[in-house]
Amino acid sequence: MSRPQYDDQNIFARILRGEIPCTKVDECDHTLAFFDIAPQAKTHILVITKGAYVDMADFAAHASEAEQSAFVRAIGRAAQKAGLEEGGYRIISNTGADSHQEVPHLHMHILGGEPIGPLRAS
Ligand code: AMP
């Protein structure tokens, strides 16, 4: 399967270039974590890769081992820095059309800070 085309004008690419501000939670060589602008829980963080990956499928197939391990560690670190470890949290990464992914740059949502209910609304 061919690689999806990456749109370098997406909002997270612009945040990475410093063209749009964000409220940073954590950063490393491969990742940036910041608060979601429209939180869906008391605490809602986005962890993004600095590399240009469209979604999890693209990242899983094409990212280096260093990028992949850094992403996983960044998720844990951001949750810990935001004080979510004790109460727990949910991570979600929307991938592709069926998931309703809006921003075509890989990101993991971290939701917590309060009970956030079942995985899907019934
Ligand atoms: P998704 O639907 O999984 O692509 O999620 C995209 C997320 O990006 C949504 O939760 C938005 O609220 C969030 N978002 C969009 N623009 C910004 C921004 N400038 N800063 C922080 N979060 C944003």
Side-chain angles (χ1 to χ4, degrees), residues 11-12 15 20-22 34-40 44 46 94 100-104 107 109:
I11 199 109
F12 295 164
I15 286 174
I20 294 175
C22 71
F34 51 90
F35 288 107
D36 196 292
I37 203 168
Q40 301 296 308
H44 186 171
L46 298 171
N94 295 321
H100 206 268
Q101 180 181 6
E102 288 178 357
V103 180
H107 52 283
H109 297 260

Side-chain angles (χ1 to χ4, degrees), residues 3 6 8 11 14 16 28 44 46 50-53 64 69 83 86 92-93 98-99 102 104 106 115 121:
R3 235 183 128 176
Y6 179 81
D8 68 4
I11 199 109
R14 298 186 65 200
L16 285 170
C28 75
H44 186 171
L46 298 171
K50 290 187 174 175
Y53 299 100
S64 68
S69 61
E86 190 180 339
I92 299 170
S93 188
D98 279 356
S99 75
E102 288 178 357
L106 173 65

Side-chain angles (χ1 to χ4, degrees), residues 4-43:
Q5 185 148 10
Y6 179 81
D7 170 15
D8 68 4
Q9 293 307 310
N10 78 74
I11 199 109
F12 295 164
R14 298 186 65 200
I15 286 174
L16 285 170
R17 290 196 295 268
E19 295 168 8
I20 294 175
C22 71
T23 304
K24 187 162 67 173
V25 176
D26 179 76
E27 184 170 14
C28 75
D29 286 350
H30 294 296
T31 66
L32 177 67
F34 51 90
F35 288 107
D36 196 292
I37 203 168
Q40 301 296 308
K42 187 171 175 191
T43 303

